[in-house]
Amino acid sequence: MSEVKKIAVIGSGFGGIAAALRLKAKGHEVSLIEKQNDLGGRARVFKKDGYTFDAGPTVITAPQLIYELFQLFDKKYQDYVNIVPLKIWYQFIFDDLSKLNYGEDLNQLLQDIEKIDPNDKKGFEKLLIESEKIFNIGFLKLADKPFHKVWFMLKQIPALLKLKSYNSVFTFISSFIKNEKLRKAFTIHPLLVGGNPYSTTSIYALILFLERKWGVHYSMGGTGNIISAFEKLMNEVGVKIIKGQEIVKINHENRKVKNIVLKNNDVLEIDSIVCNADPPKVYDELIYPKINNKLFNLKTDRLKYSMGLYVYYFGTKKKYENIEHHTIYLGKSHKQLLDKIFYTKTLDDDFSYYLHRPSATDQSMAPAGKDCFYVLVPVPNNQSKINWEQEGKAFKDKVIRKLEQTCMPGLSKYVEAEIFVTPDYFEKELNTKYGSGFSIEPVFTQSAYFRFHNKSEILDNLYFVGAGAHPGAGIPGVLSSAKVLDHLDI
């Protein structure tokens, strides 16, 4: 049996919880430390006036990555969670208010594509074939493998070049799809993991096939119910959970973390530390003494960060039966809007949005006869210097008007519970650099070896999981980042 180590896992998002469970299954002594008084990180839960709002991720793909964490301890996942497939994955609404249902019925989808543009039916079929090729390498072969050694990256370069992963998702999709509406719809996936379709590496086109292979799912009781199930499992198997305590310092000596200091001044002696926290924040603010590594500094100085998120959670006393579980509205401007979000970092009134209606599938999320929603709008991160304390409420009113114009007439009359968060929430509460919604942007030069390594570049017993580390954001990504630890000497 391998040596039992004392390991601290910092942050209780999906990546942190998965890391804690995987390390516990190896027999280590594991403590999970969370700043908030509840678990989940981005996936925590807000409750108000009888409504339950999943604060973060709501699109569940590759559910087997969740199930296998229970199976590590010979537990039946069915005793903990009830994850159900959705028939319609997303309803796209275009700026002319026409719609496209995108879901599990491929034949129906192909017919609907043909109605929009007959020439793109065959193009989509070819696109799925190419997406599967990327999936077979990018997800099945590489998503759970460590990229901290340059020779491993060099071995992958021929395959990555063959897949043209230096191209953007938009360039890749556009080589198969010619209709502008369909191009907008089928390049949406990078935005769900923090990327700009015009600059995100085409590796992320694998999501098209990943959804087709395993479907899009929903956890009854909300995504927060998965977090609750994991908490129950961690208590059963002996992971020590420390809530309401923030890490303020990581002390190191001779390239090794010695201990960590909590906000209450407790000092924890550890053998290794796994951070589900945002890597730029950890390296900039927690490492003591600060390490001046010129090569690493070059890497971090050039980083591009994902967009920010404005999220409006609301409950309505009226049910909107025509709204699907997941709706994506695509505004008239596309590249121009994304340029404003990612480059000039300015707000635009012609925004797009993602609308989540869990009560379409699960009435327990809202009081009887009522509806539960959140609407997520990509906005610039806090490098923009936008004063969200001033802009927050005014932007909420713009969001409501946009919803009224596109799919929810009369909304302002029916809202009876509401909360909104801005990039300030992500920066101050979730400790992300510049309030980015998904850590660093998933461009080619910030992917795989070029992303933050799962095994720290500068400290031997510091590790990273979660959105900022390889392979990246999204539930399958962060769960896979914890699987990478299986291949490291932790």
Side-chain angles (χ1 to χ4, degrees), residues 39 105 133 162 234 305 336 343 371 403 446 479:
L39 300 186
D105 188 334
K133 292 177 184 176
K162 188 176 180 183
M234 286 189 290
Y305 292 84
Q336 300 91 331
Y343 303 125
D371 249 343
L403 289 167
Q446 294 183 170
L479 291 175

Side-chain angles (χ1 to χ4, degrees), residues 213-488:
K213 183 173 179 64
W214 290 312
V216 172
H217 298 72
Y218 170 77
S219 169
M220 298 302 287
T223 306
N225 203 45
I226 302 175
I227 300 299
S228 297
F230 282 149
E231 183 171 7
K232 180 183 176 187
L233 176 63
M234 286 189 290
N235 283 324
E236 289 172 353
V237 302
V239 173
K240 184 180 180 182
I241 300 172
I242 303 171
K243 298 180 188 177
Q245 281 300 329
E246 188 173 5
I247 301 292
V248 295
K249 193 182 286 186
I250 297 172
N251 291 313
H252 65 90
E253 192 177 276
N254 299 325
R255 281 191 60 95
K256 285 206 162 195
V257 174
K258 283 179 57 185
N259 56 51
I260 55 178
V261 183
L262 305 184
K263 198 167 188 177
N264 66 356
N265 292 321
D266 281 356
V267 178
L268 302 184
E269 303 292 334
I270 52 161
D271 295 307
S272 294
I273 178 173
V274 178
C275 285
N276 186 50
D278 196 26
K281 281 288 243 192
V282 172
Y283 283 121
D284 285 356
E285 299 178 16
L286 299 185
I287 305 291
Y288 185 81
K290 193 166 178 63
I291 299 173
N292 186 22
N293 181 311
K294 288 184 179 178
L295 194 60
F296 185 69
N297 292 345
L298 278 174
K299 175 178 180 173
T300 56
D301 288 347
R302 64 166 179 78
L303 291 173
K304 298 175 182 177
Y305 292 84
S306 77
M307 75 283 200
L309 302 175
Y310 183 98
V311 194
Y312 175 49
Y313 308 87
F314 61 100
T316 60
K317 52 193 174 185
K318 170 191 171 179
K319 285 185 76 70
Y320 283 87
E321 300 284 7
N322 62 316
I323 304 291
E324 294 293 341
H325 192 116
H326 300 293
T327 299
I328 296 174
Y329 169 74
L330 296 161
K332 189 168 187 178
S333 66
H334 192 241
K335 188 173 189 303
Q336 300 91 331
L337 171 64
L338 292 166
D339 283 347
K340 288 179 179 179
I341 291 170
F342 284 90
Y343 303 125
T344 63
K345 303 200 186 304
T346 52
L347 283 175
D348 193 326
D349 288 348
D350 183 31
F351 51 80
S352 299
Y353 63 72
Y354 157 63
L355 179 66
H356 181 228
R357 182 189 170 219
S359 43
T361 303
D362 182 2
Q363 188 55 54
S364 75
M365 302 296 279
K370 300 181 179 182
D371 249 343
C372 177
F373 298 90
Y374 87 49
V375 58
L376 180 154
V377 181
V379 296
N381 63 40
N382 278 346
Q383 289 174 305
S384 67
K385 309 294 185 188
I386 293 168
N387 186 331
W388 283 108
E389 286 189 13
Q390 291 180 5
E391 295 286 344
K393 186 179 181 307
F395 197 74
K396 180 200 79 173
D397 295 337
K398 290 179 182 178
V399 170
I400 291 173
R401 282 198 299 275
K402 181 72 75 174
L403 289 167
E404 288 181 325
Q405 293 164 4
T406 51
C407 66
M408 302 183 76
L411 173 61
S412 56
K413 295 183 292 189
Y414 302 113
V415 172
E416 64 173 10
E418 61 180 8
I419 306 166
F420 69 81
V421 300
T422 73
D424 288 350
Y425 163 78
F426 289 84
E427 182 165 4
K428 294 169 185 173
E429 296 297 317
L430 300 181
N431 290 358
T432 68
K433 186 84 168 176
Y434 302 122
S436 61
F438 304 87
S439 191
I440 59 173
E441 223 187 307
V443 294
F444 182 76
T445 53
Q446 294 183 170
S447 298
Y449 177 80
F450 307 114
R451 205 164 183 82
F452 283 104
H453 295 179
N454 305 96
K455 180 178 171 62
S456 170
E457 294 93 318
I458 58 177
L459 291 173
D460 292 338
N461 57 342
L462 171 63
Y463 301 84
F464 285 92
V465 295
H470 169 70
I475 292 177
V478 298
L479 291 175
S480 294
S481 72
K483 291 186 78 169
V484 173
L485 301 181
D486 293 346
H487 302 279
L488 298 173

